[in-house]
Amino acid sequence: MPIPAFQVQRWVNSPPLTPEALRGRVVLIDVWEYTCVNWIRTSPYVKAWHRDYAESGLTVIGLHAPEFEFGRHAENIDQGIRDHELTYPIALDNDFRVWAGLGNIAWPARYLFDADGDLADRWIGEGDYDRTEAEIRRLLLATVSEADLPPVTPEAAAFAATTPPTYANLTEETYVGTDRRVPGSFTLSGDWRDSGEYVELAGGTGELALPFNAGEVNLVVDPGPDRPVAVNVLLDGQPIGAERGADVGPDAVAQVDRAAMIRLVTGASRDDHLLTLVTDRPGFRAYAFTFGP
């Protein structure tokens, strides 16, 4: 399979690129979505490959395909690019044309092309970072046989030396909107408005209660027009303490100021828990919970 034409809405960090202009370089297309926790876990490796191999002939292209409607808005994706400190070329595939050209099925995904523009390998989901880097190095050496490659990135070396955590019996990704909601996976109290992608607080004080078994809990949110929005975070009925995620303050409150994924729980015991979110700001939207060990 050749590199598909980049029929995209906009480029960031680069003028428009074409398959023809990329001939002679090894190309890694990273299919991503800025609120996707699986891609967020992958991003340090992608950034490391750009950092260490760009001068040796590798071009990394981040192909952003939005999972939710807010991901099509320029101000949100541009903020996401800044938040994740991405400096390689980004192509905004709002209509999923390049996604379809790749035959892609999920976020994240990595497609590696040789210097002739032909697909060499692909990886769907997290992991295999050491194998990906080994294939990048092989293709770079095949392009310039005497290329002076840098050492293997510290990120890939650390991954190869570490036993990955198990995701067995973890609570599954939980969509809040009616399009993909599993009945009974969470409960709402208060005046909430249903939508296909999200639930939105219509007025008053609203509570969203989620039973879970995981060490980590994240939530994709949009604060709405009246931002920032304060969200009180309770774990098992009490203000969250030591298990609070990076986006929750010592007062057990998350201040949500943009459409993004926020980290609510980190380091919880692998037992059955109840996460409760409380806010009184109309327009607040919750989209999807994701989990980690």
Side-chain angles (χ1 to χ4, degrees):
M1 179 178 70
I3 298 174
F6 292 105
Q7 297 177 301
V8 297
Q9 281 64 45
R10 185 163 58 97
W11 287 85
V12 181
N13 298 334
S14 172
L17 299 175
T18 65
E20 294 74 22
L22 291 165
R23 288 295 174 90
R25 293 187 66 83
V26 175
V27 176
L28 179 70
I29 298 178
D30 178 50
V31 182
W32 69 295
E33 204 280 337
Y34 83 96
T35 69
C36 174
V37 68
N38 307 98
W39 172 79
I40 290 171
R41 295 181 187 128
T42 297
S43 64
Y45 305 94
V46 179
K47 291 192 287 187
W49 296 326
H50 168 68
R51 179 195 68 211
D52 289 3
Y53 295 113
E55 293 186 1
S56 300
L58 175 69
T59 295
V60 174
I61 297 173
L63 186 77
H64 186 272
E67 183 171 9
F68 303 107
E69 178 61 31
F70 64 71
R72 300 175 183 273
H73 301 165
E75 65 275 16
N76 290 331
I77 182 57
D78 289 348
Q79 183 63 56
I81 291 170
R82 291 192 294 270
D83 287 346
H84 293 295
E85 300 180 335
L86 308 183
T87 58
Y88 48 78
I90 302 293
L92 303 185
D93 190 25
N94 287 358
D95 295 333
F96 288 73
R97 290 186 177 183
V98 186
W99 172 296
L102 293 167
N104 192 50
I105 59 173
W107 300 270
R110 305 187 295 280
Y111 292 80
L112 185 63
F113 295 85
D114 64 22
D116 294 323
D118 294 322
L119 182 67
D121 211 338
R122 74 167 188 166
W123 298 265
I124 305 295
E126 301 179 52
D128 284 335
Y129 309 117
D130 48 346
R131 288 182 52 230
T132 302
E133 183 158 340
E135 188 66 1
I136 289 171
R137 295 175 67 89
R138 185 188 72 80
L139 292 178
L140 290 173
L141 288 173
T143 304
V144 181
S145 59
E146 297 182 359
D148 184 17
L149 296 183
V152 170
T153 63
E155 291 83 354
F159 174 81
T162 304
T163 301
T166 178
Y167 285 74
N169 302 317
L170 203 70
T171 298
E172 295 184 356
E173 187 169 9
T174 302
Y175 288 93
V176 180
T178 56
D179 285 348
R180 290 183 280 182
R181 177 187 299 172
V182 175
S185 56
F186 62 92
T187 58
L188 297 170
S189 301
D191 186 9
W192 294 87
R193 181 183 300 115
D194 276 331
S195 176
E197 288 191 351
Y198 54 82
V199 294
E200 177 181 320
L201 184 63
T205 297
E207 294 188 7
L208 192 163
L210 173 84
F212 74 93
N213 189 316
E216 169 191 322
V217 186
N218 313 293
L219 175 62
V220 178
V221 296
D222 185 344
D226 191 11
R227 59 189 67 185
V229 172
V231 179
N232 293 279
V233 182
L234 291 79
L235 184 64
D236 300 326
Q238 300 296 321
I240 194 168
E243 301 91 346
R244 63 187 176 88
D247 295 307
V248 181
D251 57 356
V253 175
Q255 297 289 342
V256 183
D257 62 357
R258 58 189 179 276
M261 188 203 80
I262 58 173
R263 300 179 184 274
L264 298 172
V265 179
T266 301
S269 63
R270 288 301 306 276
D271 301 299
D272 292 337
H273 295 286
L274 181 67
L275 175 67
T276 305
L277 306 179
V278 183
T279 187
D280 61 1
R281 194 68 60 86
F284 172 80
R285 295 175 177 179
Y287 288 76
F289 289 96
T290 56
F291 305 89

